[in-house]
């Protein structure tokens, strides 16, 4: 129903095998899309960066979207970014230039990535997440709705220091991460927290400002009585690379890298 | 100006009398739209659910929009949902599959309903509200900007327990409702609250985490000196079914059901 | 790449010299756009107000966008608004009727201005800011992501009292401003604050509810050791009218008015 070949392609666009492009979508110059990927309707891929409006000799930087990706409708992805395989987005996503995402990442509806950021593999941004410039995010980091990462400690200023988030950490709904904050691995940031200090690995922090409540390995499972839920990788595998073999076995082979 | 018959219709679309459809709108298979409804420009109604991308024999589930509805531009409503009469949306609304809304509901600009949810009648979601899957919401519930309802108590997990909200309750700006929380009838959730415990009917709760401040029936009116404002139905009737006869009289007849 | 003359114009649209209009954009009746302005693709300018749907004799009110403006794609600007020169927006901005903005203002991606509001000159709204009706905002006010201004003290009611914000104040990420609150000049509202009381000029307030932490003139610079950062105008000039001569000199001439 969606794919009537009613789209526009710029110059030097390279489409892999079986790529589908939705009606009303525009793909600008120098975009590459991997095999079997689907770009739904009314998307903009390779949106020209600001220089385009003032520079007559503007050349659109390269944009790469990996194989088996699914970009849902009305999303805008600027030029000069690179996304790995199995990349997915919700609707109306905005991703600015110089964004790097590994494989198997997803970005939810309305999320807004300001560019100049780096994500590892298997990161999941839910709906309406805001990622500031200069953020650095590890692998298997999930970020929940209405989380905002910030980068200016004395607004407005010329300082721009993005937060860093370690592997496996979970940044839950509505929390704010202050500029330059370092969140370790396997952390859990509670809903509605304002994180103003660095967070040690394996910590649950919570509140405004966020303070440490416990080690995440003390948190009870809601699913298996008497057991612990974290590290979550032992209890959750939907879409994860250890789905078929379990996290412990997978750790030894780390197939995803 | 908006309606130049420049839209696309799928198969088995049933349009009532005097239905208007804006330019650039796409209505997919098996959508029914009631009499006198207006779908503005660049909307997507009956958006195919995920199965569409992988299943060759995909059949789009039915979607029903009631009479006298007004869907503003750039909204996306997935298939397999049902909305009553006098349904209204702002712009760029996203509503996923398996959403049920009664009559006279409205959903504000940028709001994001994740599907598998149920609303009663006369619910109003303002701009940029996020409703998680499995939420259950009564009648006359108003939800204000940047409120988020959540459903996973130990993220990430396989547990999904949506909040429930009773009739007449008001969930004000920027509050977060934790997974499985039950909010009674006639509650008032203060701005910026994080609601981590069930809330008794007629309570004002406030803060991070939210605690009970008073019975809502103690709150002074800002409009009539010396009087109380809540229950609000005695002091507010814009668009309400008791507009012409008053809430007390209407209670005896409850015409809306 | 973007400008193939594939747009629609209503009646009495006045376009200045060198105006560019992107593909898929619709400009309704009685819009004026100043010289050298660029309206990118898929925008709606002069969106008819609600009366349009019910009034057969509807006439679209005038909308004015100043010179040298840049409206990014998918933005919706209602009729009956006026924007000064050098106006800029991000993507998917929504601006309702009766919005007045001075010169050199910008509105970030996904921001939502509810109309019936007034801004001075050089205001900057970052991404995803929500401005309620009846807000009054001075000059050089910067508002950061996910800030919400509110106007109903006893929701729902018929009272609508917008906040006011004085010149040079900075409202940082995720803060909520309660109805009718007056924020003075040169204030700094900390991230995630809920502002429930008026704020004196030169105050840093913080927390839920926000309390005064210090005078902003006590805050250390992160850039110049031993110096103070605020008033920020002495340390930040990107895009500001004092860029070439310094704030002190500029104050004496105030060229922007």
């Amino acid at each position: 129903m969606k794919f009537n070949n009613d789209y526009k392609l710029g110059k030097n666009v390279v489409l892999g095998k079986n790529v589908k492009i939705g009606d009303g979508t525009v793909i600008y110059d120098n975009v590459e899309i991997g095999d079997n990927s689907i770009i739904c309707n009314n998307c903009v891929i390779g949106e020209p960066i600001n220089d385009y409006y003032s520079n007559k000799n503007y050349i659109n930087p390269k944009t790469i979207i990996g194989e088996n990706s699914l970009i849902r409708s009305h999303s805008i992805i600027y030029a000069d970014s690179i996304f790995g395989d199995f990349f997915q987005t919700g609707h109306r996503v905005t991703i600015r230039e110089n964004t790097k995402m590994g494989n198997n990442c997803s970005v939810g509806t309305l999320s807004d990535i300001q560019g100049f950021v780096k994500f590892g593999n298997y990161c999941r941004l839910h709906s309406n997440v805001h990622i500031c410039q200069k953020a650095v995010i590890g692998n298997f980091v999930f970020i929940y709705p209405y989380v905002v990462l910030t980068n200016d400690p004395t607004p407005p200023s010329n300082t721009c220091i993005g937060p860093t988030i370690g592997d496996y950490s979970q940044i839950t709904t509505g929390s704010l991460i202050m500029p330059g904050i370092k969140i370790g691995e396997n952390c859990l940031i509670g809903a509605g927290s304002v994180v103003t200090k660095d967070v040690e690995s394996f910590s649950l922090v919570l509140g405004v400002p966020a303070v440490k409540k416990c080690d995440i390995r003390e948190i009870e499972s809601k699913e298996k009585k008497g057991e612990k839920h974290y590290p979550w990788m032992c209890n959750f595998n939907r879409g994860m690379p250890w789905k078929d073999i379990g996290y412990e076995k997978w750790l030894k082979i780390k197939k995803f890298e």
Side-chain angles (χ1 to χ4, degrees), chain A:
Chain A
M1 296 185 276
K2 295 187 157 201
F3 304 100
N4 305 302
N5 292 316
D6 181 16
Y7 55 82
K8 288 183 196 165
L9 293 187
K11 293 173 204 159
N12 299 315
V13 171
V14 180
L15 302 181
K17 286 182 209 163
N18 301 316
V19 165
K20 286 185 188 178
I21 300 176
D23 303 343
T25 283
V26 181
I27 298 183
Y28 287 107
D29 296 358
N30 304 317
V31 170
E32 287 185 28
I33 296 174
D35 296 350
N36 306 309
S37 287
I38 301 173
I39 314 295
C40 293
N41 56 295
N42 298 97
C43 288
V44 178
I45 310 294
E47 170 80 8
I49 61 178
N50 283 344
D51 197 30
Y52 165 77
Y53 297 105
S54 54
N55 179 354
K56 273 193 188 175
N57 301 312
Y58 177 82
I59 294 173
N60 212 31
K62 210 167 183 172
T63 308
I64 299 174
I65 292 176
E67 301 181 0
N68 295 294
S69 295
L70 173 58
I71 311 295
R72 286 194 180 75
S73 78
H74 301 85
S75 290
I76 301 173
I77 295 177
Y78 274 70
D80 205 17
S81 287
I82 179 162
F83 304 91
D85 298 338
F86 295 95
F87 178 53
Q88 289 219 10
T89 79
H91 302 280
R92 298 183 240 278
V93 157
T94 312
I95 301 177
R96 294 268 308 272
E97 66 271 20
N98 212 325
T99 294
K100 286 179 188 162
M101 287 190 138
N103 293 319
N104 294 81
C105 288
S106 65
V107 179
T109 290
L110 289 172
S111 283
D112 179 3
I113 297 178
Q114 301 268 299
F116 302 91
V117 296
K118 195 166 176 275
F119 291 81
N121 298 295
Y122 285 94
C123 287
R124 291 186 183 174
L125 277 55
H126 289 239
S127 292
N128 221 321
V129 167
H130 181 96
I131 304 293
C132 65
Q133 292 188 357
K134 300 288 177 76
V136 178
I137 291 162
N139 301 293
F140 301 102
V141 172
F142 295 7
I143 306 184
Y144 294 82
Y146 292 67
V147 166
V148 186
L149 274 61
T150 69
N151 59 20
D152 184 351
T154 49
S157 78
N158 297 306
T159 304
C160 178
I161 44 171
T164 60
I165 302 178
D167 294 352
Y168 305 112
S169 283
Q170 303 286 309
I171 317 297
T172 77
T173 304
S175 42
L176 306 181
I177 313 300
M178 292 297 97
I181 290 299
K182 291 184 198 321
I183 294 176
E185 298 190 358
N186 271 298
C187 294
L188 178 62
I189 310 299
S193 297
V194 178
V195 182
T196 60
K197 289 182 181 167
D198 290 352
V199 180
E200 281 187 342
S201 292
F202 291 99
S203 303
L204 163 63
V205 301
L206 193 60
V208 182
V211 296
K212 181 164 178 174
K213 291 293 167 184
C214 66
D215 187 297
I216 63 156
R217 288 164 291 199
E218 298 168 19
I219 299 171
E220 301 287 331
S221 171
K222 305 275 177 185
E223 291 160 349
K224 298 179 199 163
K225 254 205 152 152
E227 294 194 22
K228 307 297 183 188
H229 186 69
Y230 297 93
W232 58 266
M233 298 78 77
C234 302
N235 292 299
F236 182 87
N237 61 25
R238 201 163 60 232
M240 296 294 109
W242 52 83
K243 197 177 53 180
D244 297 324
I245 57 174
Y247 178 67
E248 297 297 340
K249 260 197 192 157
W250 173 83
L251 255 191
K252 292 170 193 154
I253 54 167
K254 287 208 179 180
K255 264 203 291 195
F256 82 92
E257 287 167 338

